[in-house]
Amino acid sequence: MNMETIRELQAYGYILFTIFLAVILYSYLYHLYRDEKTGTRNYEKYSDIALHDNIDDAPVEAISPLNKEKD
Amino acid sequence: MQAKDALNYDYSVAKCFTYATILFGIIGMLIGVVIAYQMAFPELNYLAGEYGTYSRLRPLHTSGVIFGFLLSGIFASWYYIGQRVLKVSMAESKFLMVIGKLHFWIYMIVILTAVVTLFMGVSTSKEYAELEWPLDIAVVVLWVLWGFSIFGLIGIRREKTLYISMWYFIATFLGVAMLYLFNNMEVPTYFVSGVGKWYHSVSMYAGTNDAMVQWWYGHNAVAFVFTVPIIAMIYYFLPKESGQPVFSYKLSLLSFWGLMFVYLWAGGHHLLYSTVPDWVQTMGSIFSVILILPSWGSAINMLLTMKGEWGQLKANPLIKFMVLASTFYMLSTLEGPIQAIKSVNALAHFTDWIPGHVHDGTLGWVGFMLMAALFHMAPRMYKKELYSKKLMEAQFWLQTTGIVMYFTSMWIAGITQGMMWRATDQFGNLAYSFIDTVTVLIPYYSLRATGGLFYLVGFFMFSYNMYKTISAGKAISSEPQNASPMSA
Ligand code: HEM
Ligand SMILES: [Fe+2]
């Protein structure tokens, strides 16, 4: 393969890889917002994990129904 | 697990690491100030024979502050934050208590041995990885213990979701494990060929490969020791101290993955214009410029967390420390990408501008955040009010002045130095000899050393404040929800 072809392939590879990464990035963002829209998850409430962190505070999301406490 | 009325978080390991943070902070920064003055006044090299020379002390400074001060601060915060965001006490598991204590004691033995051996001049001569192979193995042991502690605690947690700080702690654990193992692959010469002392070793890699592995490590040590765990801390301590939820939790997740992905590719910026392949250099440069995005993502998220609450900045010195930490984080992650541009690096590399950059990150971002963390934890761990708010304010201003003196003097020194090295006369001969540059730089070295001295004095004020809090602070009856209580 001559140098020119290598350079050309590199350039295509570079563009495709960049597009691929951009797609991943935006899909992740989309995933975050969609989960909130559809009510699967409310990410913002996880901030409360730090704010209500006494040992007897109710967990924001208890690990299993067994440990679930009433708030 | 219903009867947990009497249950409390167990801070005994966090307390041990708190003392270690203060101890190694004093040792590491004191040596730093000494070597800074040595550059301004070379006679100071001869105060203690071979043990007092710059070359002996420099790795002691870096290892002391990074692996002594910073790591124990990270561990202290982990043993504090971990329990709280997982809502489980270490006291609930004998196993985890034993692991925690073992972790602390092995850590102390390793670091103290490191101090002694580095004083003796035992070194692999790899920057930030100077320890010889027996100590490297001990480091692996203590790291594995920390892993047990993290994943053990996660295993018995009550809070299902791992808070964002946990993600960053886990990343620190995994990142350093990987970096450390690969960079410290070494051949013990005595056992392989009978050459040298039994503890002596040489790197398994040679030449350019060694350089690449070394800076893949060195650069990502900045990522996973100077950045990632400090973000873990600020995501907990700033919201908690201010009572404000994180501005955008989603942004914290996005920045997390951004940082993880981008950081690992940027290490090439330490080897620009060296013998490593050109594409590695270009890639390092490009990724460095991109790195500003996830870095500022976290920093801006923290600043916006204070939105509408800026009054707290005046009222609470801890908020001041953390907001300034975050601001210095933005400064160094703006400066870094600039230095990583090839043409800029051609000027900046090997000059004093680099330690300038290093220290607005380490003193401003890392140091301020660590001290704020310890200040925040103290009233909760010891059930005492912080001893003196006035002293804290004075410390804040003294240290901020110190940092500014440090990086401004190094900016000017570095750029002057770089310009003088490359200056030529009309025939293309170098205009200056090396000693010409040294003469010009000496005043800036004095300025820098004095800035460092200010920071050190501030650290003594911090240590004294902590000591008085623990020994003579006013008792508090219940744990403060947010703002840490402090006596005037
Ligand atoms: C976007 C983020 C950053 C980028 C792109 C970056 C880039 C750079 C560059 C280009 C160098 C100089 C390499 C040379 O010419 O020798 C450097 C050195 C250094 N940086 Fe950064 N930096 C960043 C953030 C930080 C932060 C936040 C810290 C510390 C908290 C830090 C600590 C260091 C250290 C310790 C060195 C010196 C390495 C040595 O030569 O021993 N950097 N960085
Ligand atoms: Fe770097």
Side-chain angles (χ1 to χ4, degrees), chain B residues 215 218-223 263 266-270 288 291 336 340 357:
Chain B
W215 281 110
H219 167 76
N220 289 298
V222 168
Y263 236 117
H269 62 219
H270 294 272
S288 302
L291 192 50
H357 160 68

PDB file of all heavy atoms in Angstrom, chain B residues 215 218-223 263 266-270 288 291 336 340 357, ligand 2:
ATOM      1  N   TRP B 215       4.903   7.812  31.124  1.00  0.00           N
ATOM      2  CA  TRP B 215       4.010   8.979  31.084  1.00  0.00           C
ATOM      3  C   TRP B 215       2.562   8.620  30.936  1.00  0.00           C
ATOM      4  O   TRP B 215       1.678   9.409  31.276  1.00  0.00           O
ATOM      5  CB  TRP B 215       4.492  10.003  30.062  1.00  0.00           C
ATOM      6  CG  TRP B 215       5.605  10.750  30.718  1.00  0.00           C
ATOM      7  CD1 TRP B 215       6.937  10.683  30.408  1.00  0.00           C
ATOM      8  CD2 TRP B 215       5.504  11.581  31.882  1.00  0.00           C
ATOM      9  NE1 TRP B 215       7.659  11.433  31.307  1.00  0.00           N
ATOM     10  CE2 TRP B 215       6.807  11.995  32.214  1.00  0.00           C
ATOM     11  CE3 TRP B 215       4.447  12.013  32.673  1.00  0.00           C
ATOM     12  CZ2 TRP B 215       7.071  12.823  33.312  1.00  0.00           C
ATOM     13  CZ3 TRP B 215       4.716  12.832  33.768  1.00  0.00           C
ATOM     14  CH2 TRP B 215       6.020  13.230  34.068  1.00  0.00           C
ATOM     15  N   GLY B 218       2.373   8.441  34.615  1.00  0.00           N
ATOM     16  CA  GLY B 218       2.505   9.737  35.281  1.00  0.00           C
ATOM     17  C   GLY B 218       1.297  10.623  35.014  1.00  0.00           C
ATOM     18  O   GLY B 218       0.727  11.224  35.921  1.00  0.00           O
ATOM     19  N   HIS B 219       0.890  10.657  33.784  1.00  0.00           N
ATOM     20  CA  HIS B 219      -0.251  11.486  33.422  1.00  0.00           C
ATOM     21  C   HIS B 219      -1.527  10.978  34.084  1.00  0.00           C
ATOM     22  O   HIS B 219      -2.316  11.748  34.632  1.00  0.00           O
ATOM     23  CB  HIS B 219      -0.413  11.512  31.904  1.00  0.00           C
ATOM     24  CG  HIS B 219      -1.719  12.072  31.480  1.00  0.00           C
ATOM     25  ND1 HIS B 219      -1.984  13.420  31.518  1.00  0.00           N
ATOM     26  CD2 HIS B 219      -2.857  11.474  31.055  1.00  0.00           C
ATOM     27  CE1 HIS B 219      -3.230  13.616  31.123  1.00  0.00           C
ATOM     28  NE2 HIS B 219      -3.783  12.454  30.840  1.00  0.00           N
ATOM     29  N   ASN B 220      -1.729   9.672  34.055  1.00  0.00           N
ATOM     30  CA  ASN B 220      -2.967   9.150  34.620  1.00  0.00           C
ATOM     31  C   ASN B 220      -2.931   9.071  36.138  1.00  0.00           C
ATOM     32  O   ASN B 220      -3.975   8.937  36.778  1.00  0.00           O
ATOM     33  CB  ASN B 220      -3.311   7.808  33.988  1.00  0.00           C
ATOM     34  CG  ASN B 220      -3.748   8.006  32.547  1.00  0.00           C
ATOM     35  OD1 ASN B 220      -4.742   8.681  32.301  1.00  0.00           O
ATOM     36  ND2 ASN B 220      -2.984   7.489  31.607  1.00  0.00           N
ATOM     37  N   ALA B 221      -1.725   9.191  36.705  1.00  0.00           N
ATOM     38  CA  ALA B 221      -1.668   9.364  38.156  1.00  0.00           C
ATOM     39  C   ALA B 221      -2.289  10.712  38.495  1.00  0.00           C
ATOM     40  O   ALA B 221      -3.027  10.842  39.474  1.00  0.00           O
ATOM     41  CB  ALA B 221      -0.233   9.283  38.647  1.00  0.00           C
ATOM     42  N   VAL B 222      -2.027  11.719  37.645  1.00  0.00           N
ATOM     43  CA  VAL B 222      -2.700  13.008  37.829  1.00  0.00           C
ATOM     44  C   VAL B 222      -4.214  12.805  37.727  1.00  0.00           C
ATOM     45  O   VAL B 222      -4.995  13.345  38.504  1.00  0.00           O
ATOM     46  CB  VAL B 222      -2.219  14.037  36.785  1.00  0.00           C
ATOM     47  CG1 VAL B 222      -3.106  15.263  36.781  1.00  0.00           C
ATOM     48  CG2 VAL B 222      -0.772  14.433  37.057  1.00  0.00           C
ATOM     49  N   ALA B 223      -4.615  11.970  36.767  1.00  0.00           N
ATOM     50  CA  ALA B 223      -6.044  11.727  36.597  1.00  0.00           C
ATOM     51  C   ALA B 223      -6.641  11.021  37.811  1.00  0.00           C
ATOM     52  O   ALA B 223      -7.598  11.492  38.406  1.00  0.00           O
ATOM     53  CB  ALA B 223      -6.285  10.884  35.349  1.00  0.00           C
ATOM     54  N   TYR B 263      -9.271  11.108  29.539  1.00  0.00           N
ATOM     55  CA  TYR B 263      -8.002  11.246  30.262  1.00  0.00           C
ATOM     56  C   TYR B 263      -6.937  10.262  29.787  1.00  0.00           C
ATOM     57  O   TYR B 263      -5.775  10.596  29.633  1.00  0.00           O
ATOM     58  CB  TYR B 263      -8.214  11.068  31.770  1.00  0.00           C
ATOM     59  CG  TYR B 263      -7.718  12.263  32.560  1.00  0.00           C
ATOM     60  CD1 TYR B 263      -8.586  13.036  33.314  1.00  0.00           C
ATOM     61  CD2 TYR B 263      -6.375  12.631  32.526  1.00  0.00           C
ATOM     62  CE1 TYR B 263      -8.137  14.138  34.015  1.00  0.00           C
ATOM     63  CE2 TYR B 263      -5.925  13.738  33.228  1.00  0.00           C
ATOM     64  CZ  TYR B 263      -6.813  14.484  33.972  1.00  0.00           C
ATOM     65  OH  TYR B 263      -6.374  15.577  34.653  1.00  0.00           O
ATOM     66  N   ALA B 266      -4.530  11.186  26.829  1.00  0.00           N
ATOM     67  CA  ALA B 266      -3.895  12.503  26.743  1.00  0.00           C
ATOM     68  C   ALA B 266      -2.432  12.499  27.185  1.00  0.00           C
ATOM     69  O   ALA B 266      -1.737  13.494  27.041  1.00  0.00           O
ATOM     70  CB  ALA B 266      -4.691  13.522  27.553  1.00  0.00           C
ATOM     71  N   GLY B 267      -1.951  11.364  27.727  1.00  0.00           N
ATOM     72  CA  GLY B 267      -0.616  11.320  28.310  1.00  0.00           C
ATOM     73  C   GLY B 267       0.510  11.704  27.366  1.00  0.00           C
ATOM     74  O   GLY B 267       1.582  12.143  27.797  1.00  0.00           O
ATOM     75  N   GLY B 268       0.270  11.575  26.060  1.00  0.00           N
ATOM     76  CA  GLY B 268       1.291  11.942  25.091  1.00  0.00           C
ATOM     77  C   GLY B 268       1.777  13.377  25.230  1.00  0.00           C
ATOM     78  O   GLY B 268       2.893  13.710  24.789  1.00  0.00           O
ATOM     79  N   HIS B 269       0.977  14.236  25.900  1.00  0.00           N
ATOM     80  CA  HIS B 269       1.399  15.640  26.006  1.00  0.00           C
ATOM     81  C   HIS B 269       2.651  15.820  26.878  1.00  0.00           C
ATOM     82  O   HIS B 269       3.214  16.893  26.912  1.00  0.00           O
ATOM     83  CB  HIS B 269       0.251  16.543  26.471  1.00  0.00           C
ATOM     84  CG  HIS B 269      -0.302  16.252  27.829  1.00  0.00           C
ATOM     85  ND1 HIS B 269      -1.639  16.323  28.106  1.00  0.00           N
ATOM     86  CD2 HIS B 269       0.280  15.868  28.995  1.00  0.00           C
ATOM     87  CE1 HIS B 269      -1.855  16.027  29.373  1.00  0.00           C
ATOM     88  NE2 HIS B 269      -0.705  15.747  29.931  1.00  0.00           N
ATOM     89  N   HIS B 270       3.061  14.761  27.575  1.00  0.00           N
ATOM     90  CA  HIS B 270       4.306  14.858  28.357  1.00  0.00           C
ATOM     91  C   HIS B 270       5.530  14.540  27.501  1.00  0.00           C
ATOM     92  O   HIS B 270       6.651  14.678  27.953  1.00  0.00           O
ATOM     93  CB  HIS B 270       4.261  13.912  29.548  1.00  0.00           C
ATOM     94  CG  HIS B 270       3.217  14.298  30.551  1.00  0.00           C
ATOM     95  ND1 HIS B 270       3.470  15.180  31.572  1.00  0.00           N
ATOM     96  CD2 HIS B 270       1.923  13.960  30.669  1.00  0.00           C
ATOM     97  CE1 HIS B 270       2.360  15.349  32.280  1.00  0.00           C
ATOM     98  NE2 HIS B 270       1.409  14.621  31.755  1.00  0.00           N
ATOM     99  N   SER B 288      -5.948  16.274  24.939  1.00  0.00           N
ATOM    100  CA  SER B 288      -5.762  17.240  26.030  1.00  0.00           C
ATOM    101  C   SER B 288      -6.688  18.429  25.871  1.00  0.00           C
ATOM    102  O   SER B 288      -7.223  18.950  26.839  1.00  0.00           O
ATOM    103  CB  SER B 288      -4.330  17.753  26.057  1.00  0.00           C
ATOM    104  OG  SER B 288      -3.440  16.698  26.198  1.00  0.00           O
ATOM    105  N   LEU B 291     -10.066  17.472  26.800  1.00  0.00           N
ATOM    106  CA  LEU B 291     -10.180  17.167  28.226  1.00  0.00           C
ATOM    107  C   LEU B 291     -10.765  18.322  29.038  1.00  0.00           C
ATOM    108  O   LEU B 291     -11.289  18.131  30.136  1.00  0.00           O
ATOM    109  CB  LEU B 291      -8.796  16.783  28.762  1.00  0.00           C
ATOM    110  CG  LEU B 291      -8.711  16.150  30.141  1.00  0.00           C
ATOM    111  CD1 LEU B 291      -9.679  15.003  30.280  1.00  0.00           C
ATOM    112  CD2 LEU B 291      -7.291  15.664  30.399  1.00  0.00           C
ATOM    113  N   GLY B 336      -3.592  23.462  31.376  1.00  0.00           N
ATOM    114  CA  GLY B 336      -3.063  22.193  30.853  1.00  0.00           C
ATOM    115  C   GLY B 336      -3.271  22.055  29.355  1.00  0.00           C
ATOM    116  O   GLY B 336      -2.313  21.839  28.611  1.00  0.00           O
ATOM    117  N   ALA B 340      -0.550  21.873  26.286  1.00  0.00           N
ATOM    118  CA  ALA B 340      -0.476  20.648  25.498  1.00  0.00           C
ATOM    119  C   ALA B 340      -0.501  20.914  23.998  1.00  0.00           C
ATOM    120  O   ALA B 340      -0.295  20.006  23.193  1.00  0.00           O
ATOM    121  CB  ALA B 340      -1.626  19.716  25.874  1.00  0.00           C
ATOM    122  N   HIS B 357       2.102  25.210  36.706  1.00  0.00           N
ATOM    123  CA  HIS B 357       0.852  24.516  36.390  1.00  0.00           C
ATOM    124  C   HIS B 357       0.544  23.451  37.439  1.00  0.00           C
ATOM    125  O   HIS B 357      -0.565  23.351  37.953  1.00  0.00           O
ATOM    126  CB  HIS B 357       0.972  23.900  34.992  1.00  0.00           C
ATOM    127  CG  HIS B 357       0.011  22.788  34.717  1.00  0.00           C
ATOM    128  ND1 HIS B 357      -1.341  22.986  34.595  1.00  0.00           N
ATOM    129  CD2 HIS B 357       0.214  21.457  34.547  1.00  0.00           C
ATOM    130  CE1 HIS B 357      -1.934  21.826  34.343  1.00  0.00           C
ATOM    131  NE2 HIS B 357      -1.026  20.884  34.313  1.00  0.00           N
TER     132      HIS B 357
HETATM  133 FE    FE C   2      -0.638  15.048  31.892  1.00  0.00          FE
END
